[in-house]
Amino acid sequence: MTSVAFIIPHMGREGLLIDTLNSISALKVNDIRVSVVVASKNKSFSDELLGYKQSLAIQFLTIGNEVTISDQRNMGVRQTKSDYLAFIDADIALSTNWLIAMLKVLDSPNIVLASAVQKASEEASELENVRVLLSNLSVDCTMEFLPGRNLLLSRTTFDKTGGFPSELVTCEDYVFTQNVSQYGQLYYSTSANYIHLGEDKEYLPMAKKEVWRGQSNLASIKGRHIPLSEYPSFIAPPLFTLGLLGFLVALIAQYPIIALLSISGSCGILALYTFRLWKKRHEYPSLFAIVAFYALYFPARTIGTVMGAVKTLETGTEK
C-alpha cells in the first residue's frame, strides 16, 4: 500500500491549522495510507487540535523557537517512513482530489516534484487576487523552482537532496526545490488546487511580511545556480527603490533633470511588472491593486535584503 506523510511546520494560530487538517481529512485517498506530522513551535496544543488523533494518524511535535522552518520540516520527515512526503503550510486548504492528482503527476516520466495551483478564496480581497494571479502566471508546465505551500515528492528524492537548508530563515523552499530539480522536473499542475487561507489581504501587513521574507534573499543565492529568469526578482526591487530615493534627493537638492530621470526609471519598472500581470488577468484584480502591490512590494523587499545583508555582516552567518 502506498503511504504518504503530510509534514506541516506550524507556529501560533491554531484556527488555520485546524482548517488545514480538515482539508487533509476530506481528501480522497482510495487505498493510500495517510499520516500527518505537525512540527509546531507552540508549547502546548488545544483539546480540539489533539482530538484529530481520533480521525487521523497524526503526531504533534514541540519544536524550539530557535529553529528555522527548514528544521521543522526536516524534523517532521524523521518521524515517518512513508513512501511519499507532502509538505504543506499550516494555512492551506487542499482540494479533495489533491493527493490522487499529485501522485498521478509524479507518475509522469521524469517528474520528481508536483505542486497544485493556487485558487482564490470565495471572498478574496483585491490583494489576494493579485497574489493568486502572480502565483499562476505559468501553469501546467515544468518550473525552475516552486514555493513550499504544497509539494509532493518521493522520500527517495527527498533523501537525495539532503533536506531543506536549515541555515535559511526564508527562501528555503526555492533553494530546496531547485536542489530537487537536479533529479528531474518540477511540475505546477491545474489538476488540483489549494486555497492559501493565510494569504495577504491588506497592503501594509503584506509589506511587513515582505521585509521579513527579503532577509534571506542574498543568502539564498549562495552556492547555487541562478537561472536567468530569476535575476529580475533580485534586480527590479532595488532599482525601483533607488529610483524613488534618487527622485526625492534630487528634488530636495533642486536637480530637476536627475529627479525626472530617477522617477522615470522607477515608473518604467513599475509599468513593466504591472503590464505583465494585467495582460494575464480576467475580471480581477484591478489595475490599481496591481500598481499598489508592486509599489509596496519593491521597497519592502529591498529593505529586507539590506537588513539581511547587514545582519550577515554583523554576525558572520544568518541566524
Side-chain angles (χ1 to χ4, degrees):
M1 179 183 291
T2 300
S3 58
V4 178
F6 283 82
I7 311 299
I8 307 175
H10 171 254
M11 179 178 70
R13 301 170 293 185
E14 282 196 358
L16 294 179
L17 174 59
I18 287 171
D19 290 337
T20 300
L21 295 177
N22 285 339
S23 79
I24 294 174
S25 298
L27 288 174
K28 298 174 183 178
V29 298
N30 294 346
D31 59 349
I32 303 165
R33 185 169 68 250
V34 172
S35 61
V36 181
V37 180
V38 177
S40 179
K41 292 185 178 181
N42 288 15
K43 294 181 179 179
S44 61
F45 305 102
S46 68
D47 290 339
E48 182 180 4
L49 201 55
L50 293 175
Y52 280 89
K53 291 183 177 181
Q54 305 300 318
S55 57
L56 287 172
I58 187 168
Q59 300 179 60
F60 292 97
L61 306 180
T62 300
I63 308 296
N65 284 328
E66 71 281 359
V67 303
T68 63
I69 192 171
S70 289
D71 291 321
Q72 290 175 270
R73 290 183 173 126
N74 293 336
M75 290 176 183
V77 170
R78 290 195 288 270
Q79 303 303 310
T80 178
K81 296 182 179 180
S82 295
D83 305 318
Y84 291 88
L85 300 168
F87 295 99
I88 66 172
D89 287 348
D91 56 357
I92 297 297
L94 303 172
S95 61
T96 56
N97 70 327
W98 185 90
L99 184 54
I100 294 173
M102 293 301 98
L103 284 171
K104 186 175 181 180
V105 170
L106 288 183
D107 279 339
S108 303
N110 203 36
I111 293 178
V112 294
L113 182 65
S115 180
V117 298
Q118 185 175 357
K119 176 184 175 182
S121 61
E122 292 184 2
E123 299 180 354
S125 67
E126 283 275 60
L127 179 55
E128 182 178 349
N129 282 318
V130 172
R131 284 294 202 184
V132 171
L133 181 59
L134 190 60
S135 293
N136 298 337
L137 281 176
S138 299
V139 297
D140 289 327
C141 61
T142 58
M143 308 290 284
E144 293 173 335
F145 46 77
L146 287 165
R149 295 172 189 166
N150 78 116
L151 302 171
L152 183 70
L153 74 165
S154 70
R155 174 179 288 276
T156 301
T157 301
F158 177 86
D159 289 342
K160 288 178 181 178
T161 67
F164 284 84
S166 60
E167 71 277 7
L168 295 180
V169 175
T170 65
C171 304
E172 79 296 330
D173 45 1
Y174 291 96
V175 175
F176 171 73
T177 56
Q178 191 177 57
N179 287 340
V180 172
S181 70
Q182 299 176 57
Y183 307 101
Q185 296 177 331
L186 321 179
Y187 199 81
Y188 192 51
S189 175
T190 59
S191 61
N193 62 69
Y194 73 94
I195 294 174
H196 186 192
L197 303 170
E199 185 60 272
D200 299 321
K201 294 176 174 58
E202 297 180 2
Y203 287 95
L204 289 181
M206 176 275 294
K208 291 180 180 179
K209 284 185 182 179
E210 291 302 334
V211 170
W212 176 76
R213 290 168 180 154
Q215 292 184 53
S216 289
N217 266 2
L218 296 180
S220 71
I221 66 177
K222 184 179 179 181
R224 71 179 179 97
H225 167 69
I226 309 300
L228 188 61
S229 61
E230 197 175 349
Y231 277 91
S233 66
F234 292 108
I235 297 173
L239 283 182
F240 174 85
T241 307
L242 286 173
L244 285 184
L245 291 174
F247 168 73
L248 293 174
V249 171
L251 205 61
I252 293 171
Q254 298 184 355
Y255 291 110
I257 295 178
I258 295 178
L260 181 61
L261 290 174
S262 297
I263 197 64
S264 295
S266 290
C267 289
I269 293 171
L270 183 63
L272 183 64
Y273 273 77
T274 298
F275 177 71
R276 181 185 65 154
L277 279 191
W278 175 255
K279 69 178 182 178
K280 291 281 189 177
R281 68 185 284 276
H282 297 289
E283 184 178 359
Y284 300 105
S286 68
L287 179 63
F288 173 80
I290 298 173
V291 171
F293 168 74
Y294 279 120
L296 287 172
Y297 172 85
F298 287 146
R301 274 281 173 165
T302 303
I303 293 170
T305 300
V306 172
M307 289 173 61
V310 170
K311 186 176 181 180
T312 299
L313 289 173
E314 289 178 344
T315 65
T317 182
E318 188 177 61
K319 300 298 183 183

